[in-house]
Amino acid sequence: MRARAQTYVVPVVAGLLALVMLIGLIGPAIKSPSPHDIPVGLTGPQAAVGQISSAFATNAPGVFDFTTYASEADARAAIDDRSVDGALVMGPAGSTLIVAGAAGDAVTGVITAAFTNVFQKQGQTLTVETVHPFASGDAHGLILFFVVLAVLVGTLIAQAVVGIRRDASF
């Protein structure tokens, strides 16, 4: 009887320990789910770059982590190497917001909404360009999530079958 109880107690305790640990890691994010330190590049006239960065520092402190680039090409290169998730390119012909679609819907949504609102309040339009989107068949990057979920469910079913067969053999 004791050996049989240990067969079930150890996995249950291990599972509960993992559950408590994961909830402990997720808890702080659930408590305060706000964007912070989103890396964004800025390029354009120094006065405009300073105005944008100081406006966000005042009105949305800590949301964005700005890096200034000398040119649009440098800002695009930073997006390509994932140093930033988006870049605001300000020039005489207008402003363009470049966002990396594969950074995720939440990040690109925050960046796009924040900068679009700033430009709308000034009566200007902001062109938004998406680079590095997810694959066309996976517009939100969910395939990997479902693959992991399928592996977990398959593993649980296999473990349950092993447990049932073990009980039958006792």
Side-chain angles (χ1 to χ4, degrees):
M1 182 71 164
R2 181 180 175 140
R4 193 169 187 192
Q6 287 179 340
T7 302
Y8 295 105
V9 170
V10 172
V12 168
V13 169
L16 287 173
L17 182 63
L19 176 66
V20 168
M21 192 168 63
L22 289 172
I23 289 174
L25 291 172
I26 295 168
I30 293 172
K31 182 180 176 187
S32 179
S34 59
H36 55 86
D37 299 324
I38 298 172
V40 175
L42 296 174
T43 185
Q46 192 62 27
V49 168
Q51 183 181 13
I52 288 285
S53 60
S54 66
F56 276 104
T58 301
N59 297 318
V63 173
F64 297 107
D65 181 18
F66 292 113
T67 304
T68 304
Y69 295 98
S71 67
E72 179 178 344
D74 291 343
R76 286 181 182 275
I79 292 172
D80 291 343
D81 70 18
R82 301 196 62 183
S83 298
V84 294
D85 295 329
L88 178 64
V89 178
M90 297 174 282
S95 298
T96 302
L97 179 64
I98 306 165
V99 292
D105 291 340
V107 170
T108 58
V110 167
I111 294 171
T112 302
F115 284 96
T116 300
N117 287 338
V118 167
F119 279 82
Q120 279 179 345
K121 287 180 182 176
Q122 296 176 355
Q124 300 175 8
T125 58
L126 179 65
T127 304
V128 178
E129 177 185 343
T130 302
V131 296
H132 305 295
F134 285 114
S136 61
D138 187 20
H140 302 286
L142 295 175
I143 288 176
L144 183 59
F145 167 77
F146 286 110
V147 168
V148 171
L149 182 64
V151 169
L152 289 174
V153 169
T155 302
L156 288 172
I157 290 171
Q159 189 64 31
V161 170
V162 167
I164 290 169
R165 296 191 78 203
R166 182 180 297 154
D167 287 345
S169 65
F170 277 112

